[in-house]
Amino acid sequence: GNSVTQMEGPVTLSEEAFLTINCTYTATGYPSLFWYVQYPGEGLQLLLKATKADDKGSNKGFEATYRKETTSFHLEKGSVQVSDSAVYFCALLRGYSGGGADGLTFGKGTHLIIQP
Amino acid sequence: ETGVTQTPRHLVMGMTNKKSLKCEQHLGHNAMYWYKQSAKKPLELMFVYNFKEQTENNSVPSRFSPECPNSSHLFLHLHTLQPEDSALYLCASSFEGTSGGVAQYFGPGTRLLVL
């Protein structure tokens, strides 16, 4: 079956540090990959996505590249801010099969803490 | 963003109660989902509705009963729950077309506590 593995943390960084959150996946075919962010007391917000190999998703200074050869989709940001403190989830959607809607498979989430 | 709304935001219920969670999407989507988020566990898919038809039930106990009267509304009816059902219940929606890779958009969730 499909699965997503990511570092759980907490990951604690100082403001303006470089961020990497690792995500690897197991899936058959050609899944689409996503990063979601969850702030305290809220639901999940889509951060970025990539739908095929070598695609780079980017948003709000965050980037992730779909690497099929290493089955990875690591999240990076060059300079983090206190407001980036949240839980980050890597997720995959199995490749399109023509069968309509399908559920996401999530990693366990990485708690990120940014200190001033 | 308020494209997907959920009510109530918080719910406390006894094991013998019957309650319902409501989700509404204002995005023109045609698929809706229920997920469960428990402490220390990955988000779990519960149900999928595509064009109002249930297309997936992820081995969810019968004490959880979904209802999708139209493509904008989704309910989760709860009865005789157990304390281990306490969790954050998240609703999501997406627009399914003729290609894959479509993102799902989530509501704020209902925090459920079963006593």
Side-chain angles (χ1 to χ4, degrees):
Chain A
N2 298 333
S3 67
V4 175
T5 302
Q6 63 179 112
M7 53 204 296
E8 291 185 43
V11 173
T12 303
L13 296 172
S14 298
E15 204 165 22
E16 300 183 2
F18 184 87
L19 169 71
T20 300
I21 301 178
N22 291 337
C23 170
T24 57
Y25 68 89
T26 301
T28 55
Y30 302 93
S32 295
L33 301 172
F34 304 84
W35 277 100
Y36 283 85
V37 58
Q38 186 175 35
Y39 298 100
E42 298 184 12
L44 275 68
Q45 296 179 23
L46 176 66
L47 185 57
L48 52 84
K49 73 171 192 177
T51 57
K52 61 183 185 297
D54 300 325
D55 268 2
K56 177 185 283 188
S58 61
N59 186 28
K60 299 180 182 179
F62 291 90
E63 294 183 339
T65 301
Y66 187 162
R67 300 287 188 198
K68 190 164 178 64
E69 64 276 13
T70 54
T71 61
S72 65
F73 193 54
H74 304 322
L75 182 68
E76 296 181 334
K77 187 176 185 183
S79 176
V80 293
Q81 305 301 312
V82 172
S83 57
D84 293 327
S85 299
V87 181
Y88 291 80
F89 292 91
C90 185
L92 74 80
L93 187 68
R94 67 178 178 178
Y96 180 68
S97 62
D102 204 359
L104 291 161
T105 299
F106 285 91
K108 290 187 176 181
T110 300
H111 186 194
L112 176 65
I113 300 170
I114 307 300
Q115 297 178 332
Chain B
E1 296 180 22
T2 57
V4 181
T5 58
Q6 291 186 244
T7 55
R9 292 293 308 274
H10 301 272
L11 179 62
V12 180
M13 60 187 290
M15 289 190 285
T16 58
N17 291 159
K18 290 185 180 181
K19 297 287 184 181
S20 295
L21 310 185
K22 178 183 176 181
C23 175
E24 183 173 0
Q25 60 92 3
H26 310 272
L27 300 170
H29 290 168
N30 56 16
M32 298 187 78
Y33 313 78
W34 280 116
Y35 289 87
K36 176 183 178 182
Q37 186 177 29
S38 306
K40 306 296 184 182
K41 293 178 68 175
L43 278 122
E44 305 171 71
L45 177 71
M46 300 177 72
F47 301 102
V48 179
Y49 276 84
N50 200 183
F51 295 100
K52 303 184 298 178
E53 299 296 321
Q54 186 181 131
T55 56
E56 185 161 350
N57 174 337
N58 199 23
S59 302
V60 180
S62 59
R63 58 186 184 269
F64 295 91
S65 175
E67 178 189 2
C68 188
N70 55 62
S71 58
S72 298
H73 294 86
L74 183 65
F75 295 89
L76 188 62
H77 303 299
L78 316 172
H79 63 98
T80 60
L81 294 191
Q82 304 299 311
E84 59 264 29
D85 296 323
S86 299
L88 181 68
Y89 289 85
L90 291 162
C91 173
S93 70
S94 66
F95 186 81
E96 298 300 315
T98 56
S99 62
V102 177
Q104 296 176 17
Y105 293 85
F106 285 78
T110 295
R111 176 71 63 186
L112 174 66
L113 177 62
V114 181
L115 301 176

